[in-house]
Amino acid sequence: MSANGNSPASSMLNAQRVVVMKFGGTSVEDAIAIHRTAEIVQGRLNHGLLPFVVVSAMAKVTDFLLAAADAAGRGERAGSLAISARLRGRHLDTAGKLVAASSVHALSSRVHAEFDALDELLRGIVAVGELTPRTTDLVVSFGERLSSIVVAAAFAAVGVPGEHLDARECIVTDAEFGRAVPLEAEIANRLQKHAVPLLLTGHVPVMGGFIGATEQGITTTLGRGGSDFSAALVGGGLHAGAIEIWTDVDGIMTTDPRICADALRVKTVSFEEAAELAYFGAKVLHPATILPAVQQNIPVYVLNSRNPASEGTRITAVAPPCRSPFKCIAVKKRLTIVDIVASRMLMSHGYLKAVFDVFDKHRVVIDMVSTSEVSISVTVDTSDRLPAIAEDLRKIADVKYESNKALICMVGEDIRGHNGIAGKVFTAVEHVNVRMISQGASEINMSFMIEEEDVPEAVRSLHEAFFTNPDRAIFDVEAREQESLVQI
Ligand code: ASP
Ligand code: MG
């Protein structure tokens, strides 16, 4: 094989037609969801594309498997096996609804074989009395192993040529269990060997996300939520034309539609903007996980499997220029502001470090910092550890803290080069008490703290100020117009 991975097989594969489709836990949670997934994949086939499907474990299964592993580690044999028994029932039940009577037996036997292996493993953990990260990875790997087997069979049953592909043959990683690092060059080789022949013969590979294996074949995982990462690795390794992350929201919205009914779908954001938003737990995806795709300029789409007609949000390395300075207004609630006023040490050398060390000691992450001559204000998203933190801080400072605060963060690449934006932002929220203003180092966000109770008013005014006449190339204004037509 040549250095750029062009085997004879890959030179025949039109990589641009490959679309990696990742379906999250809710998109494969039961038979109805899996049917919907099959239809979506069929739609891509109808368009002449070559889908490669990556699935998460069925919703909540990873949590249950972790609970089973923990119970086994504590020696609770019956409790641990009971969790596994319930999962076995759920998978068998789903499988039974998805395939024809003639193939139920074959699929059930496969599901049983996986659960028999899982039970043996759980009994082993109880016997040894120790749960290592390596064993935990092996236990949780059953979630994606099972979902991919069931989904591949369900596809075949409705005429989608699904073919199960064991992730452990393709996603090669190091041995850092629980958060393994993928070895991208080796992954590309393995995909050439195991996936390309399937794609070339008209099959739809169906692979579990999240899991991988070391070069020696020891099972690993990429960390929680790792299926998006798997999809990006496959897309990167195959030089795919696109990656689709199917979830249960319509993509990225200008703001939370529960707060502001006028929220619009954002058609495109840049990778940097998505990264900024991820911090707010925007229910989309963690951008670091799509880096392998972005580095190769492969567009990533966030799409809704409950509303497949919606075009979702496209995430690209460089966003097209936008007439509106902001793409989104993100909100993070339940924050606490801690004001730390230097008493004796008066910001002496090493003072900031001493302050941050206290937060570090209590394992509390600081969101935002602002400083003046003698005081530091920080925000944190916990309140239960604050009394202990305050007690430690009081050895070097006067400390006050106030809870029930919210952070408003306005994100957009096009703030750069727009004048007077800050003025417009603060005019929009002039009735609200604003604290701790900051413009992120990345220069693509503007953030400030307000009272939690002021969130609805602030968000609505900001939305009105910035999204009343938005750039139609970037925001889905048509949906809003259609809705108002319906109301008339
Ligand atoms: N099933 C794994 C998790 O729940 C991975 C994923 O869904 O992305 O974390
Ligand atoms: Mg996820």
Side-chain angles (χ1 to χ4, degrees):
M1 196 177 286
S2 64
N4 62 8
N6 278 338
S7 66
S10 72
S11 57
M12 288 187 290
L13 179 73
N14 182 346
Q16 269 305 307
R17 280 172 56 212
V18 174
V19 52
V20 180
M21 306 175 74
K22 180 262 173 174
F23 292 91
T26 52
S27 306
V28 296
E29 67 186 345
D30 55 23
I32 295 171
I34 294 174
H35 265 145
R36 214 164 27 220
T37 295
E39 267 168 38
I40 293 169
V41 174
Q42 182 64 56
R44 294 294 182 262
L45 284 167
N46 295 347
H47 275 90
L49 295 170
L50 304 174
F52 181 117
V53 172
V54 175
V55 289
S56 288
M58 293 170 73
K60 303 270 168 2
V61 167
T62 307
D63 294 334
F64 284 123
L65 288 167
L66 276 173
D70 285 340
R74 290 192 303 267
E76 295 162 19
R77 185 173 189 274
S80 167
L81 292 173
I83 297 173
S84 162
R86 277 201 298 278
L87 291 176
R88 186 191 291 246
R90 177 170 164 202
H91 282 84
L92 286 172
D93 179 56
T94 307
K97 289 182 183 145
L98 286 167
V99 297
S102 56
S103 18
V104 166
H105 182 71
L107 180 56
S108 308
S109 322
R110 273 194 89 175
V111 172
H112 275 302
E114 294 290 326
F115 276 102
D116 291 347
L118 172 62
D119 288 350
E120 195 173 316
L121 175 60
L122 293 172
R123 282 190 212 100
I125 296 169
V126 174
V128 180
E130 189 197 15
L131 178 65
T132 61
R134 172 172 166 171
T135 316
T136 304
D137 271 1
L138 190 54
V139 172
V140 291
S141 75
F142 280 90
E144 270 74 5
R145 282 155 70 172
L146 282 152
S147 64
S148 55
I149 290 171
V150 171
V151 169
F155 280 9
V158 293
V160 173
E163 193 71 40
H164 181 250
L165 181 63
D166 191 333
R168 295 169 299 171
E169 288 185 341
C170 296
I171 306 298
V172 187
T173 71
D174 71 2
E176 204 190 305
F177 298 103
R179 184 161 280 284
V181 179
L183 307 177
E184 291 184 40
E186 189 49 28
I187 291 172
N189 289 337
R190 299 286 187 96
L191 288 166
Q192 288 302 328
K193 187 163 161 216
H194 300 290
V196 169
L198 291 177
L199 291 163
L200 283 173
T201 49
H203 291 93
V204 175
V206 179
M207 187 190 92
F210 177 54
I211 54 182
T214 64
E215 258 159 318
Q216 292 73 39
I218 299 161
T219 302
T220 55
T221 67
L222 302 172
R224 290 307 302 267
S227 295
D228 296 340
F229 199 9
S230 306
L233 289 166
V234 171
L238 290 173
H239 306 289
I243 296 175
E244 299 178 345
I245 306 289
W246 289 87
T247 153
D248 54 4
V249 292
D250 275 345
I252 295 174
M253 306 289 289
T254 48
T255 195
D256 185 341
R258 289 166 304 183
I259 300 177
C260 176
D262 289 336
L264 300 165
R265 177 173 61 86
V266 188
K267 296 181 188 172
T268 3
V269 297
S270 71
F271 177 72
E272 253 192 281
E273 289 167 333
E276 209 64 53
L277 290 167
Y279 156 77
F280 290 89
K283 223 180 137 200
V284 264
L285 77 177
H286 200 288
T289 63
I290 59 165
L291 204 55
V294 174
Q295 280 165 342
Q296 287 193 41
N297 256 322
I298 303 174
V300 177
Y301 295 83
V302 178
L303 296 154
N304 187 353
S305 61
R306 290 167 204 270
N307 181 20
S310 167
E311 286 160 29
T313 298
R314 177 184 158 112
I315 304 171
T316 52
V318 183
C322 175
R323 209 168 26 77
S324 320
F326 296 113
K327 301 275 168 47
C328 299
I329 306 168
V331 182
K332 191 166 188 180
K333 292 197 200 168
R334 282 178 290 282
L335 297 179
T336 300
I337 301 184
V338 189
D339 290 317
I340 303 147
V341 181
S343 40
R344 279 155 290 143
M345 295 162 85
L346 273 177
M347 296 289 213
S348 58
H349 173 74
Y351 181 74
L352 278 176
K353 179 173 184 312
V355 167
F356 290 135
D357 281 350
V358 170
F359 287 92
D360 198 44
K361 175 184 153 198
H362 292 274
R363 296 187 162 276
V364 166
V365 179
I366 293 173
D367 289 321
M368 193 169 159
V369 185
S370 76
T371 58
S372 74
E373 204 73 29
V374 291
S375 73
I376 310 169
S377 297
V378 305
T379 66
V380 295
D381 65 358
T382 172
S383 52
D384 51 341
R385 268 168 289 177
L386 275 169
I389 292 173
E391 195 182 312
D392 278 349
L393 285 173
R394 286 199 176 106
K395 293 172 194 150
I396 52 171
D398 292 330
V399 185
K400 276 190 315 196
Y401 54 91
E402 291 171 62
S403 302
N404 303 323
K405 302 285 181 264
L407 178 64
I408 304 279
C409 179
M410 317 268 301
V411 177
E413 297 241 16
D414 303 82
I415 323 181
R416 299 174 181 137
H418 268 78
N419 290 326
I421 298 291
K424 194 169 169 189
V425 167
F426 295 109
T427 305
V429 290
E430 64 188 352
H431 306 295
V432 166
N433 182 17
V434 170
R435 303 204 23 202
M436 286 185 72
I437 302 163
S438 112
Q439 173 147 16
S442 60
E443 279 183 36
I444 65 163
N445 82 55
M446 210 177 270
S447 325
F448 50 91
M449 301 290 297
I450 61 174
E451 299 294 329
E452 230 174 51
E453 60 187 25
D454 291 334
V455 164
E457 189 197 327
V459 168
R460 283 182 211 130
S461 322
L462 287 165
H463 203 272
E464 203 182 309
F466 289 99
F467 297 102
T468 297
N469 179 23
D471 191 331
R472 303 176 82 93
I474 306 292
F475 302 96
D476 183 7
V477 185
E478 293 79 14
R480 180 159 79 187
E481 287 168 349
Q482 267 161 21
E483 252 172 53
S484 54
L485 273 180
V486 172
Q487 276 161 20
I488 292 168

